[in-house]
C-alpha cells in the first residue's frame, strides 16, 4: 500500500466492521471519493469531495477471509421518515444507481445482499431495496390489466352469443306457444262423460293414448253420427314409437250395459265414453282421452299439410271416384264430378280424394284393407307434419280445427302440444286389432262379425304398444 498523505489519513479512519473480500471489492467500486476536512465550523466526518484509493492489505493469519473498509456514517431513520407515499419516491433517481455495471459486478452485488449488516446499514438501504420492487409493482398491473382485458373480451363475446341464443329460443317458444293456443281455441270442447272403471287394464306411465274417432257427422258438437274410423294413437317414450292401432268395427265385443254387438255400435249407443269403456273391457287397453273428427275436418287437415302421397290401383281409383261422386263432393258442396282420378298410379291426393280413399271398403279384403288404407293416410299425414307443421297452421285454424272435438282441457292440450316437436321424430308403427290369426269370421243374428281371441290380442298389444326396451343390469 502506498503511504501517501491521503492514504495515511484514510488509515486513521475508524473501522467499525469487517467485510469479506468480495464485499470489499464491491464497495471499492461503488463508493464515491471521500475527503476529511478540519476547517473550522465544519464536521470532521468524511464528505464526498475527493477521490481516493484503498489498496488491499496483506492478509494475516487472523484476517484470512476478511478485509476492513470504512462505511460513512448514516443518520438513523425515524418513523416519520419512513412514512412516505408511493408518489414521494423518485424511481428514476435509483434506476442508474441500481443497474449493474457488468456481469462481474452483478454477481458481486448478488453475493453482498446475503451479508449480515448492522441496523443502520439496513435502514440506509431500505430506500434503495424497495425502489426497484415498487417500480416492478407499478408495471405489473399494466400487464395484468392487458390480460384481464383480453380475458374479459373473450368472455364477453361468449356471453353475448349465449344471450342471443337464449333470446332467440324465447322468441321461438313464444311464437310456438301462440300458434298452439290459436289451434286449441278453435277445437270444439266436448263434455267429459262418465266412465266405468276397468280393473287390470294395460297401463304404463311411459305410454299416452288418445282414441281418434272418425264420424260422418257434419257437426261434431251437436251430432254423433257413426264411428267409421277407430284408431288408437299411442306415444311410447321408451321405444320412441308412435303406434297407430286400428280396431276393426266388425269385431264382436261385449258392450257394457248393452251386451254383445259390433264394436262400432258402442259409439252410436253411448258416444266416445262408451266406446272407450268397451275397448278397455275387451282388449284391456288403457285410453286416456279421445278426439272426434268429422269427414270434412279430416279433409281439411289433409289439405293443410299439402295432401298425402298414395299409390292407387285401377280398382281403387274407380272406387275413389264413386265415393267422391256419391258422398264427399256433396258434403263439400262441390260439383259431383270434381277431383276425379282417371286411372291407378302414385298421386298427391287432396283432402277430398284422401277421405274417399280411406272409405273404400269393397276393394280387396273388405274392412281389413280399409283399415290399412286409413293407417296409411295417417302415416303419410304425420310424415308431412315433420316438415310442414309451421306452414299448415293458418289453414288448420281456418278450415280444419272447427271440425274437431275433444274432451281434453286447454291445459292438457297445451302440454301435449309441447311434446309434438319431439314426438314427430318417433318412428311410426301400424297395428291391426284383431291381429291376423286371432279371429274367426262368423254370422250371428244375421250379421257378419269377427269372433276374436281376446287373450291373444291383449298379448299382441303388450308386445307392441306397451313394450319397453330391456335394461341390462350393471355388472
Amino acid at each position: 500500500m502506498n503511504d501517501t498523505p491521503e492514504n495515511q489519513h484514510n488509515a486513521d479512519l475508524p473501522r467499525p466492521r469487517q467485510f469479506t473480500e468480495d464485499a470489499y471489492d464491491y464497495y471499492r467500486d461503488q463508493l464515491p471519493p471521500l475527503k476529511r476536512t478540519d476547517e473550522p465550523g465544519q464536521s470532521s466526518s468524511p464528505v464526498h469531495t475527493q477521490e481516493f484509493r484503498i489498496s488491499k492489505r496483506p492478509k494475516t493469519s487472523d484476517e484470512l477471509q476478511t478485509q476492513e473498509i470504512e462505511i460513512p456514517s448514516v443518520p438513523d431513520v425515524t418513523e416519520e421518515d419512513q412514512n412516505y407515499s408511493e408518489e414521494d419516491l423518485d424511481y428514476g433517481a435509483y434506476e442508474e444507481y441500481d443497474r449493474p455495471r457488468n456481469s462481474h459486478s452483478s454477481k458481486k452485488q448478488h453475493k453482498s445482499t446475503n451479508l449480515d449488516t448492522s441496523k443502520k446499514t439496513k435502514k440506509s438501504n431500505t430506500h434503495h431495496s424497495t425502489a426497484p420492487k415498487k417500480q416492478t409493482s407499478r408495471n405489473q398491473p399494466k400487464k395484468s390489466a392487458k390480460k384481464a382485458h383480453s380475458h374479459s373480451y373473450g368472455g364477453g363475446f361468449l356471453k353475448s352469443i349465449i344471450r342471443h341464443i337464449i333470446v332467440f329460443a324465447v322468441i321461438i317458444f313464444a311464437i310456438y306457444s301462440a300458434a298452439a293456443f290459436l289451434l286449441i281455441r278453435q277445437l270444439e270442447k266436448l263434455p267429459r262423460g262418465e266412465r266405468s272403471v276397468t280393473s287390470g287394464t294395460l297401463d304404463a306411465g311411459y305410454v299416452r293414448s288418445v282414441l281418434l274417432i272418425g264420424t260422418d257427422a257434419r257437426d261434431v258438437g251437436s251430432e254423433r253420427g257413426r264411428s267409421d274410423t277407430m284408431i288408437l294413437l299411442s306415444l311410447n317414450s321408451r321405444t320412441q314409437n308412435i303406434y297407430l292401432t286400428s280396431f276393426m268395427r266388425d269385431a264382436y265385443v261385449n258392450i257394457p250395459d248393452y251386451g254383445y254387438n259390433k264394436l262400432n255400435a258402442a259409439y252410436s249407443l253411448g258416444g266416445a265414453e262408451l266406446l272407450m269403456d268397451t275397448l278397455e273391457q275387451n282388449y284391456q287397453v288403457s285410453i286416456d282421452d279421445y278426439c272426434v273428427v268429422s269427414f270434412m275436418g279430416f279433409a281439411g287437415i289433409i289439405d293443410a299439410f299439402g295432401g298425402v302421397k298414395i299409390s292407387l290401383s285401377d280398382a281403387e281409383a274407380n272406387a275413389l271416384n264413386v265415393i267422391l261422386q256419391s258422398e264427399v263432393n256433396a258434403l263439400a258442396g262441390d260439383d259431383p264430378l270434381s277431383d276425379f282420378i282417371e286411372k291407378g298410379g302414385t298421386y298427391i291426393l287432396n283432402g277430398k280424394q284422401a277421405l274417399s280413399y280411406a272409405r273404400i271398403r269393397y276393394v280387396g279384403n273388405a274392412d281389413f284393407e280399409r283399415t290399412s288404407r286409413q293407417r296409411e293416410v295417417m302415416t303419410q299425414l304425420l310424415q308431412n307434419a315433420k316438415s310442414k307443421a309451421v306452414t299448415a297452421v293458418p289453414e288448420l285454424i281456418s278450415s280444419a280445427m272447427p271440425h274437431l272435438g275433444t274432451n281434453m282441457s286447454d291445459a292438457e292440450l297445451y302440454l301435449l302440444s309441447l311434446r309434438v316437436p319431439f314426438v314427430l321424430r318417433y318412428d311410426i308403427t301400424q297395428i291391426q286389432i284383431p291381429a291376423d290369426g286371432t279371429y274367426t269370421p262368423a254370422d250371428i243374428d244375421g250379421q257378419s262379425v269377427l269372433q276374436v281371441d281376446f287373450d291373444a290380442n291383449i298379448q299382441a298389444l303388450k308386445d307392441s304398444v306397451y313394450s319397453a326396451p330391456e335394461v341390462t343390469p350393471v355388472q
Side-chain angles (χ1 to χ4, degrees), residues 4 37 56 74 100 118 156 160 174 185 203 243 257 271 286 309 341 354 374 381 389 391-392 426 443 448 458 462:
T4 62
T37 178
K56 295 184 180 179
V74 179
S118 63
S160 177
R185 288 175 62 87
D203 193 8
Y243 294 96
D257 300 329
S286 178
K309 185 177 181 180
I341 295 178
Q374 293 170 354
L381 180 61
T391 58
Y426 287 6
D443 190 342
S448 296
I458 291 171
K462 284 182 179 180

Side-chain angles (χ1 to χ4, degrees), residues 86 91 98 128-139:
E86 187 175 354
Y91 297 102
D98 293 330
H128 301 307
S129 62
T130 56
K133 295 181 181 180
K134 296 269 182 185
Q135 185 175 4
T136 304
S137 64
R138 293 184 63 183
N139 294 334

Side-chain angles (χ1 to χ4, degrees), residues 179-236:
F181 275 115
L182 286 175
L183 292 173
I184 291 170
R185 288 175 62 87
Q186 297 298 319
L187 286 171
E188 184 77 24
K189 300 303 186 300
L190 303 177
R192 286 183 178 271
E194 294 184 0
R195 296 281 305 277
S196 61
V197 179
T198 303
S199 60
T201 58
L202 299 172
D203 193 8
Y206 53 88
V207 177
R208 175 69 186 276
S209 297
V210 178
L211 182 64
L212 306 179
I213 304 171
T215 177
D216 58 0
R218 290 178 177 269
D219 186 356
V220 295
S222 58
E223 300 179 32
R224 180 173 295 172
R226 296 172 297 174
S227 58
D228 190 67
T229 303
M230 293 167 287
I231 296 178
L232 186 66
L233 188 150
S234 302
L235 308 177
N236 189 321

Side-chain angles (χ1 to χ4, degrees), residues 164-327:
H164 281 79
I165 292 174
I166 294 174
V167 171
F168 180 75
V170 170
I171 292 174
I172 294 299
F173 180 77
I175 295 174
Y176 179 85
S177 298
F181 275 115
L182 286 175
L183 292 173
I184 291 170
R185 288 175 62 87
Q186 297 298 319
L187 286 171
E188 184 77 24
K189 300 303 186 300
L190 303 177
R192 286 183 178 271
E194 294 184 0
R195 296 281 305 277
S196 61
V197 179
T198 303
S199 60
T201 58
L202 299 172
D203 193 8
Y206 53 88
V207 177
R208 175 69 186 276
S209 297
V210 178
L211 182 64
L212 306 179
I213 304 171
T215 177
D216 58 0
R218 290 178 177 269
D219 186 356
V220 295
S222 58
E223 300 179 32
R224 180 173 295 172
R226 296 172 297 174
S227 58
D228 190 67
T229 303
M230 293 167 287
I231 296 178
L232 186 66
L233 188 150
S234 302
L235 308 177
N236 189 321
S237 59
R238 292 278 184 87
T239 61
Q240 295 192 351
N241 263 268
I242 299 175
Y243 294 96
L244 299 175
T245 306
S246 295
F247 292 95
M248 302 185 67
R249 67 180 195 170
D250 289 339
Y252 198 61
V253 297
N254 182 18
I255 300 175
D257 300 329
Y258 290 93
Y260 282 88
N261 205 333
K262 286 186 176 183
L263 179 60
N264 65 337
Y267 184 75
S268 60
L269 292 173
E273 285 76 17
L274 183 59
L275 177 58
M276 290 188 291
D277 289 342
T278 301
L279 290 172
E280 286 190 354
Q281 181 171 315
N282 289 271
Y283 293 106
Q284 298 296 303
V285 63
S286 178
I287 303 174
D288 300 299
D289 298 290
Y290 71 89
C291 185
V292 180
V293 57
S294 67
F295 284 172
M296 298 316 299
F298 181 78
I301 294 174
I302 299 296
D303 287 333
F305 287 99
V308 290
K309 185 177 181 180
I310 300 294
S311 296
L312 303 173
S313 64
D314 290 338
E316 288 175 329
N318 292 333
L320 184 153
N321 292 335
V322 171
I323 297 173
L324 269 174
Q325 183 179 7
S326 62
E327 297 182 43

Side-chain angles (χ1 to χ4, degrees), residues 17 106 118 163 198 210 254 272 314 337 398 418 421 430 446 469 475:
R17 187 173 181 81
S106 176
S118 63
R163 182 167 57 251
T198 303
V210 178
N254 182 18
D314 290 338
L337 302 180
S398 61
L418 295 179
Q430 300 183 22
Q475 299 294 335

